[in-house]
mmCIF file of all heavy atoms in Angstrom:
data_model
loop_
_atom_site.group_PDB
_atom_site.id
_atom_site.type_symbol
_atom_site.label_atom_id
_atom_site.label_comp_id
_atom_site.label_asym_id
_atom_site.label_seq_id
_atom_site.Cartn_x
_atom_site.Cartn_y
_atom_site.Cartn_z
ATOM 1 N N PHE A 59 30.764 -3.571 -23.928
ATOM 2 C CA PHE A 59 30.170 -4.735 -24.585
ATOM 3 C C PHE A 59 29.617 -4.295 -25.938
ATOM 4 O O PHE A 59 28.395 -4.199 -26.136
ATOM 5 C CB PHE A 59 29.056 -5.342 -23.715
ATOM 6 C CG PHE A 59 29.502 -5.760 -22.345
ATOM 7 C CD1 PHE A 59 29.334 -4.912 -21.261
ATOM 8 C CD2 PHE A 59 30.091 -6.990 -22.136
ATOM 9 C CE1 PHE A 59 29.723 -5.277 -19.986
ATOM 10 C CE2 PHE A 59 30.507 -7.386 -20.871
ATOM 11 C CZ PHE A 59 30.338 -6.516 -19.791
ATOM 12 N N THR A 60 30.501 -4.051 -26.860
ATOM 13 C CA THR A 60 30.116 -3.502 -28.153
ATOM 14 C C THR A 60 29.292 -4.480 -28.999
ATOM 15 O O THR A 60 28.628 -4.070 -29.947
ATOM 16 C CB THR A 60 31.365 -3.084 -28.951
ATOM 17 O OG1 THR A 60 32.232 -4.220 -29.084
ATOM 18 C CG2 THR A 60 32.109 -1.969 -28.238
ATOM 19 N N GLN A 61 29.349 -5.746 -28.642
ATOM 20 C CA GLN A 61 28.579 -6.763 -29.391
ATOM 21 C C GLN A 61 27.109 -6.809 -28.980
ATOM 22 O O GLN A 61 26.314 -7.491 -29.620
ATOM 23 C CB GLN A 61 29.223 -8.153 -29.226
ATOM 24 C CG GLN A 61 29.138 -8.775 -27.837
ATOM 25 C CD GLN A 61 30.265 -8.359 -26.910
ATOM 26 O OE1 GLN A 61 30.497 -7.191 -26.687
ATOM 27 N NE2 GLN A 61 30.963 -9.371 -26.363
ATOM 28 N N VAL A 62 26.753 -6.100 -27.934
ATOM 29 C CA VAL A 62 25.382 -6.114 -27.430
ATOM 30 C C VAL A 62 24.501 -5.131 -28.203
ATOM 31 O O VAL A 62 24.888 -3.986 -28.422
ATOM 32 C CB VAL A 62 25.370 -5.758 -25.908
ATOM 33 C CG1 VAL A 62 23.931 -5.549 -25.413
ATOM 34 C CG2 VAL A 62 26.047 -6.851 -25.107
ATOM 35 N N LYS A 63 23.320 -5.585 -28.605
ATOM 36 C CA LYS A 63 22.324 -4.710 -29.184
ATOM 37 C C LYS A 63 21.668 -3.902 -28.064
ATOM 38 O O LYS A 63 21.428 -4.434 -26.967
ATOM 39 C CB LYS A 63 21.235 -5.494 -29.917
ATOM 40 C CG LYS A 63 21.678 -6.219 -31.159
ATOM 41 C CD LYS A 63 20.480 -6.912 -31.784
ATOM 42 C CE LYS A 63 20.833 -7.696 -33.026
ATOM 43 N NZ LYS A 63 19.646 -8.392 -33.605
ATOM 44 N N THR A 64 21.378 -2.650 -28.311
ATOM 45 C CA THR A 64 20.743 -1.843 -27.264
ATOM 46 C C THR A 64 19.496 -1.138 -27.786
ATOM 47 O O THR A 64 19.408 -0.780 -28.960
ATOM 48 C CB THR A 64 21.716 -0.783 -26.705
ATOM 49 O OG1 THR A 64 22.144 0.070 -27.772
ATOM 50 C CG2 THR A 64 22.908 -1.433 -26.030
ATOM 51 N N VAL A 65 18.560 -0.984 -26.882
ATOM 52 C CA VAL A 65 17.361 -0.200 -27.137
ATOM 53 C C VAL A 65 17.277 0.824 -26.016
ATOM 54 O O VAL A 65 17.321 0.459 -24.841
ATOM 55 C CB VAL A 65 16.080 -1.072 -27.137
ATOM 56 C CG1 VAL A 65 14.841 -0.197 -27.339
ATOM 57 C CG2 VAL A 65 16.164 -2.153 -28.215
ATOM 58 N N GLN A 66 17.185 2.094 -26.363
ATOM 59 C CA GLN A 66 17.167 3.142 -25.359
ATOM 60 C C GLN A 66 15.791 3.790 -25.309
ATOM 61 O O GLN A 66 15.309 4.319 -26.317
ATOM 62 C CB GLN A 66 18.229 4.196 -25.661
ATOM 63 C CG GLN A 66 18.310 5.306 -24.619
ATOM 64 C CD GLN A 66 19.460 6.270 -24.875
ATOM 65 O OE1 GLN A 66 20.062 6.245 -25.948
ATOM 66 N NE2 GLN A 66 19.771 7.083 -23.881
ATOM 67 N N ASN A 67 15.173 3.763 -24.140
ATOM 68 C CA ASN A 67 13.869 4.413 -23.953
ATOM 69 C C ASN A 67 14.029 5.779 -23.322
ATOM 70 O O ASN A 67 14.875 5.964 -22.436
ATOM 71 C CB ASN A 67 12.961 3.535 -23.088
ATOM 72 C CG ASN A 67 12.458 2.308 -23.826
ATOM 73 O OD1 ASN A 67 12.163 2.364 -25.020
ATOM 74 N ND2 ASN A 67 12.386 1.178 -23.131
ATOM 75 N N ALA A 68 13.200 6.694 -23.709
ATOM 76 C CA ALA A 68 13.235 8.048 -23.159
ATOM 77 C C ALA A 68 12.566 8.114 -21.798
ATOM 78 O O ALA A 68 12.753 9.058 -21.046
ATOM 79 C CB ALA A 68 12.566 9.019 -24.112
ATOM 80 N N GLU A 69 11.800 7.078 -21.476
ATOM 81 C CA GLU A 69 11.151 6.986 -20.167
ATOM 82 C C GLU A 69 11.027 5.529 -19.772
ATOM 83 O O GLU A 69 11.221 4.634 -20.608
ATOM 84 C CB GLU A 69 9.753 7.625 -20.212
ATOM 85 C CG GLU A 69 8.812 6.951 -21.186
ATOM 86 C CD GLU A 69 7.441 7.611 -21.240
ATOM 87 O OE1 GLU A 69 7.295 8.677 -20.594
ATOM 88 O OE2 GLU A 69 6.545 7.070 -21.888
ATOM 89 N N ASN A 70 10.761 5.307 -18.513
ATOM 90 C CA ASN A 70 10.586 3.939 -18.014
ATOM 91 C C ASN A 70 9.223 3.420 -18.449
ATOM 92 O O ASN A 70 8.196 3.824 -17.912
ATOM 93 C CB ASN A 70 10.716 3.913 -16.493
ATOM 94 C CG ASN A 70 10.748 2.496 -15.936
ATOM 95 O OD1 ASN A 70 10.416 1.528 -16.618
ATOM 96 N ND2 ASN A 70 11.152 2.353 -14.684
#
Side-chain angles (χ1 to χ4, degrees):
F59 303 96
T60 57
Q61 68 273 55
V62 171
K63 292 182 181 179
T64 59
V65 177
Q66 183 175 12
N67 287 322
E69 61 181 6
N70 188 345

